Amino acid sequence: MKLPQTFILNEDGYTLIQKLVQFRMDEDLAYEYHGLRVIEEKQQNIAQKNGILHSLNKAHKNHAASKMLERIRKKEEWKAYWEAKNLIPLPEILRDAAIEQLINDFNATAEGRIQLFLIMQEVIHTPIYYDMDHFKDAGEETNFEAHIDKISHLCGFGPWGKKIYKNTEKFFKDIKDEGGKMLKWGITDLVGVGSIAAVLALPVIAPAVGGLLGLSGAAATTAGLTMLGGGSIAAGVGMVGGMTVLVGGSSLLGVVALDAVGKILSQIPQEAVALNIVKVVNLIHYLKSDDNRDQIATIDILIKAQELFLEFKHQIEREMLLTGIYNTRKEMMQMTHILNRAFRQLIK
């Protein structure tokens, strides 16, 4: 099945993903600095008082301020390195483009607005801090839900940012409850705090996917990460040598066109498969909702998204039954739980 063009972003779409990820970093640091100012004001008030209790309280506040300053330092350092790797290499016209203008450009057409929804979804599923090169994880993002809610409203999708996150979180919880722990890669946390980025960063995955495209070495790794999407978007995978970015779960579901489902699924964690599937589920939910003001104009996208999932589901089930793409019955049952949970969500 040919991949719908809606799932394929150009440089403008890639740039907007990067800028919205940067926006989350800026919001996170602003929240941290606000917390630091609150502590400093309390320190000043305590400094004017005497007594052992006030002295103990002062020591506690000093320790809290010190820890917060160190956390801010790490985040500032990480952000500077991330920007140098992901934003500075962009063409100047894109690097200087305002977020609002990029959003307006996508909002100009019905298809562009659906692409904007997919862009927002990628940003929501992209942890902003994770181990990268010689940098260690800078810590957790504070006030995550408030940040994605702000991005959702900025893009014109109201509460859908939180809906995407909550549905993805529930999807992972449901498949864990139904299929037991997904222990192949040891990732049991929920999406949004780095678990998926950790999965996609595993060194064996991207080269394996890229290798199926006939590539090797760094080219295979880059192509593999681009196909997987999710956390890899923030790792700087984009318009390298004319490469496009695939979004909305199409990076993995689109392999049905390559007739390579079995080969790929045997080499990547089931969590990565689940993430790609739930992205399509989220998109279909939005396309069917009253919030989609372009329901008539986007009916073809809805049909293709549903067909993409059903064809993917059919091919996986066929491969599991006929060629045994998984080594154990447990792995097959876990994948069955993932597929059936998504199917049940789609027919609600």
Side-chain angles (χ1 to χ4, degrees), residues 13-288:
Y14 173 72
T15 300
L16 184 53
I17 288 175
Q18 300 288 38
K19 284 183 173 287
L20 288 173
V21 170
Q22 182 191 41
F23 178 87
R24 271 177 59 194
M25 293 181 196
D26 290 337
E27 289 293 306
D28 183 47
L29 282 165
Y31 190 84
E32 293 276 28
Y33 276 116
H34 173 74
L36 180 62
R37 287 194 296 272
V38 170
I39 291 176
E40 288 174 341
E41 288 174 2
K42 290 181 178 179
Q43 282 178 312
Q44 292 176 356
N45 292 333
I46 293 171
Q48 300 171 5
K49 300 176 181 179
N50 298 316
I52 188 169
L53 289 178
H54 293 303
S55 296
L56 290 172
N57 198 8
K58 181 180 179 182
H60 174 73
K61 290 293 185 292
N62 288 342
H63 179 68
S66 178
K67 286 183 66 176
M68 187 169 286
L69 279 169
E70 177 61 15
R71 189 165 66 244
I72 289 173
R73 184 192 66 78
K74 286 182 179 179
K75 289 183 175 182
E76 289 277 17
E77 192 176 77
W78 199 98
K79 177 173 177 283
Y81 182 79
W82 181 90
E83 289 174 342
K85 185 171 182 176
N86 297 291
L87 291 181
I88 292 177
L90 291 173
E92 185 176 357
I93 190 170
L94 292 175
R95 192 169 63 242
D96 296 340
I99 287 178
E100 292 78 10
Q101 184 56 55
L102 289 169
I103 289 174
N104 288 338
D105 291 344
F106 278 99
N107 266 321
T109 65
E111 184 174 341
R113 185 162 172 79
I114 301 308
Q115 284 194 313
L116 182 58
F117 180 89
L118 294 175
I119 286 169
M120 178 183 71
Q121 180 167 223
E122 293 298 329
V123 173
I124 289 169
H125 287 132
T126 299
I128 61 175
Y129 304 118
Y130 52 93
D131 288 357
M132 178 175 65
D133 300 336
H134 63 283
F135 273 85
K136 291 295 183 183
D137 188 328
E140 291 188 6
E141 177 181 6
T142 54
N143 215 21
F144 163 73
E145 289 194 28
H147 300 160
I148 62 173
D149 189 52
K150 191 173 285 189
I151 287 173
S152 183
H153 281 84
L154 184 64
C155 292
F157 292 106
W160 270 92
K162 286 185 178 180
K163 285 183 181 180
I164 287 171
Y165 174 70
K166 291 297 183 183
N167 187 58
T168 302
E169 185 180 55
K170 184 178 186 305
F171 186 83
F172 270 71
K173 183 179 184 300
D174 288 344
I175 59 178
K176 180 181 173 184
D177 290 345
E178 291 178 359
K181 275 193 173 183
M182 303 170 73
L183 291 174
K184 183 175 181 181
W185 297 95
I187 303 299
T188 56
D189 291 335
L190 296 174
V191 176
V193 293
S195 60
I196 296 302
V199 168
L200 298 180
L202 289 170
V204 300
I205 298 171
V209 176
L212 293 170
L213 304 177
L215 302 171
S216 61
T221 300
T222 301
L225 284 172
T226 303
M227 284 195 71
L228 287 169
S232 62
I233 291 293
V237 180
M239 310 302 293
V240 181
M243 189 179 295
T244 54
V245 174
L246 307 179
V247 291
S250 62
S251 52
L252 197 59
L253 274 61
V255 300
V256 296
L258 300 174
D259 194 27
V261 171
K263 293 179 182 177
I264 288 182
L265 291 186
S266 65
Q267 298 180 66
I268 65 174
Q270 292 180 335
E271 292 92 335
V273 179
L275 177 62
N276 278 270
I277 288 175
V278 79
K279 285 179 182 178
V280 175
V281 171
N282 288 333
L283 171 64
I284 291 172
H285 281 169
Y286 172 73
L287 289 170
K288 288 181 175 180

